[in-house]
Amino acid sequence: MTNSDEQNGKSNNFDNQSEQPDSIQERLRRYLESDPDNLLWTTHIENYPMASFAFIAIARLEGRTWQKISDSLGGIPIGTLGIFYQHYVQQFYPQIRNYLNNDNPDNSNFGNDNL
């Protein structure tokens, strides 16, 4: 970091990351990607193995629209994606909540609003 950066209050990303705890969204994404119980990536829409719960949940977490997700999965109907997603959000919610609450450094509660 240069003197001018210090004067402007800028620092490199490594410094910022070490001082700030991970957000719920970051921890949720890490959980979805790691899939410790090997369920999130293997649970998928019938005949569409790429349309896994984890893939769809990560896409939604990134702010992708249902239309963009549908397009990326070969045009699976949006209604099918939504019904599948809502069903498995309810099914996986207890284990995701448990993981995030146990992995939560500030002990704030994880709510269903994050999925």
Side-chain angles (χ1 to χ4, degrees):
M1 181 160 52
T2 66
N3 286 339
S4 63
D5 287 342
E6 288 175 351
Q7 292 169 352
N8 292 329
K10 296 179 183 176
S11 63
N12 66 44
N13 288 337
F14 296 112
D15 290 341
N16 289 339
Q17 290 175 356
S18 64
E19 295 173 9
Q20 298 175 0
D22 289 342
S23 70
I24 289 175
Q25 287 80 9
E26 289 167 339
R27 290 184 290 121
L28 176 57
R29 183 185 182 103
R30 189 168 49 242
Y31 178 77
L32 293 168
E33 289 174 345
S34 68
D35 190 10
D37 298 317
N38 198 32
L39 293 172
L40 308 175
W41 287 98
T42 57
T43 301
H44 59 82
I45 296 173
E46 188 173 356
N47 298 320
Y48 294 96
M50 294 299 295
S52 68
F53 176 80
F55 177 86
I56 296 167
I58 290 168
R60 294 297 294 164
L61 194 60
E62 292 173 344
R64 291 174 60 191
T65 66
W66 287 112
Q67 185 63 57
K68 288 188 186 252
I69 296 168
S70 171
D71 293 345
S72 72
L73 293 170
I76 296 173
I78 293 170
T80 301
L81 289 169
I83 290 168
F84 170 84
Y85 178 74
Q86 287 303 317
H87 173 80
Y88 285 102
V89 161
Q90 291 175 0
Q91 181 172 326
F92 294 139
Y93 177 73
Q95 68 198 60
I96 293 170
R97 183 187 60 209
N98 184 49
Y99 172 85
L100 293 175
N101 284 338
N102 289 332
D103 185 48
N104 191 346
D106 64 5
N107 282 333
S108 63
N109 289 326
F110 171 74
N112 202 9
D113 297 348
N114 297 94
L115 286 178

